[in-house]
């Protein structure tokens, strides 16, 4: 317990190498005061993402499955590495590629495999694509799909769809999206934000920084 308290003190004082050394010593004794995600985050603070990924992989029993890749994507999002996060989330959807012998088949006999994407993973991927900023139209399509299939996240998805349309230069469509949200939910958080965004697009208000926008989760 004393070692755990000392490690925590080092972490709170931002003495991360010292804290990690103690956590490693505790791990060898079978004591794990921190989960793999939090421990990986500490390694990320030191810029050692290879070690962070190794910690996550060990925490997931060295199985590169959907849970591991999702956790890896979440880690990258925390550090603003959205391209890496997108890649991780896509790996969570598709899984690890396996080499298989190709057999000669006619095109009619080939069947496409339908992959089920969990709701939270669909949102995470849309967010990573949007924040990466290189494919706003693709992000808009993803947000539209979330709005269509996830009732509880509909307002969030509709708002960010309009935001990404604006980023893609599709001003009129963005205004229409904000207007629809403003009319349907005038007193909600996203309804109020939509009003501000409409004023911004019309040149009636200064631009808002994306850093002040609500987080994905």
């Amino acid at each position: 317990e004393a070692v755990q308290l000392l490690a925590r003190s080092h972490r709170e004082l931002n003495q991360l190498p010292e804290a990690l050394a103690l956590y490693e010593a505790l791990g060898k004794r079978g004591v794990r005061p921190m989960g793999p995600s939090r421990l990986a985050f500490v390694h990320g603070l030191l810029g050692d993402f290879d070690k962070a990924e190794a910690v996550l992989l060990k925490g997931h029993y060295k199985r590169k499955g959907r849970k591991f890749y999702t956790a890896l994507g979440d880690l990258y999002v925390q550090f603003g590495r959205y391209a890496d996060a997108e890649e991780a989330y896509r790996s969570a959807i598709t899984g690890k590629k396996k080499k298989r012998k190709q057999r000669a088949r006619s095109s009619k006999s080939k069947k496409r495999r339908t992959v089920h994407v969990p709701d939270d993973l669909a949102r995470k991927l849309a967010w990573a694509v949007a924040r990466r900023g290189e494919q706003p139209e693709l992000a808009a399509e993803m947000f539209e799909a979330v709005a269509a299939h996830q009732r509880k996240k509909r307002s969030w998805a509709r708002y960010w769809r309009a935001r990404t349309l604006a980023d893609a230069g599709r001003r009129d469509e963005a205004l229409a999206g904000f207007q629809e949200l403003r009319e349907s939910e005038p007193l909600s958080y996203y309804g109020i934000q939509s009003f501000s965004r409409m004023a911004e697009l019309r040149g009636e208000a200064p631009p808002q920084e994306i850093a002040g926008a609500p987080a994905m989760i």
Side-chain angles (χ1 to χ4, degrees):
E1 291 178 358
V3 176
Q4 292 184 49
L5 288 173
L6 181 58
R8 179 177 178 181
S9 297
H10 281 307
R11 181 164 53 88
E12 292 177 348
L13 291 171
N14 204 34
Q15 298 169 347
L16 302 181
E18 293 84 351
L20 286 173
L22 292 175
Y23 285 133
E24 184 176 352
L26 288 169
K28 292 179 180 179
R29 300 179 186 179
V31 180
R32 294 179 175 81
M34 295 178 65
S37 293
R38 292 188 64 187
L39 189 57
F41 179 77
V42 176
H43 283 289
L45 290 173
L46 291 172
D48 192 348
F49 287 93
D50 289 337
K51 182 62 176 180
E53 181 174 343
V55 168
L56 284 177
L57 185 58
K58 183 178 180 180
H60 288 83
Y61 307 102
K62 297 184 178 181
R63 298 174 182 172
K64 291 188 176 182
R66 178 169 290 176
K67 291 183 179 180
F68 162 72
Y69 282 117
T70 301
L72 184 61
D74 292 346
L75 174 70
Y76 285 132
V77 165
Q78 293 180 81
F79 290 93
R81 298 179 54 158
Y82 298 109
D84 291 328
E86 179 185 348
E87 182 179 354
Y89 290 143
R90 290 191 183 281
S91 295
I93 294 173
T94 61
K96 185 178 180 180
K97 293 183 179 180
K98 298 181 179 180
K99 294 182 180 179
R100 296 180 179 179
K101 293 182 179 180
Q102 298 292 333
R103 294 183 178 180
R105 297 180 180 178
S106 63
S107 59
K108 294 183 179 180
S109 64
K110 293 181 180 179
K111 296 181 179 180
R112 293 182 179 179
R113 181 184 176 187
T114 302
V115 179
H116 171 69
V117 181
D119 289 348
D120 63 331
L121 190 52
R123 295 195 304 270
K124 291 173 186 288
L125 180 58
W127 180 255
V129 173
R131 294 304 301 266
R132 188 161 63 88
E134 296 181 6
Q135 295 178 294
E137 294 189 350
L138 175 60
E141 293 177 5
M142 291 180 170
F143 284 127
E144 185 175 5
V146 171
H149 297 97
Q150 301 183 38
R151 183 177 59 83
K152 292 183 178 180
K153 292 293 181 178
R154 187 169 298 162
S155 298
W156 172 85
R158 290 168 63 192
Y159 173 80
W160 283 105
R161 176 181 178 274
R163 282 286 302 270
T164 52
L165 286 173
D167 293 339
R170 295 161 62 176
R171 178 178 176 276
D172 292 341
E173 293 177 75
L175 282 171
F178 287 133
Q179 181 64 35
E180 182 181 356
L181 190 55
R182 175 63 177 163
E183 292 177 353
S184 61
E185 304 177 32
L187 300 180
S188 70
Y189 176 83
Y190 290 110
I192 296 172
Q193 286 293 313
S194 293
F195 179 80
S196 299
R197 288 293 171 180
M198 290 171 65
E200 176 189 325
L201 287 174
R202 291 168 177 166
E204 301 170 357
Q208 299 181 36
E209 294 293 334
I210 192 170
M216 174 186 62
I217 300 175

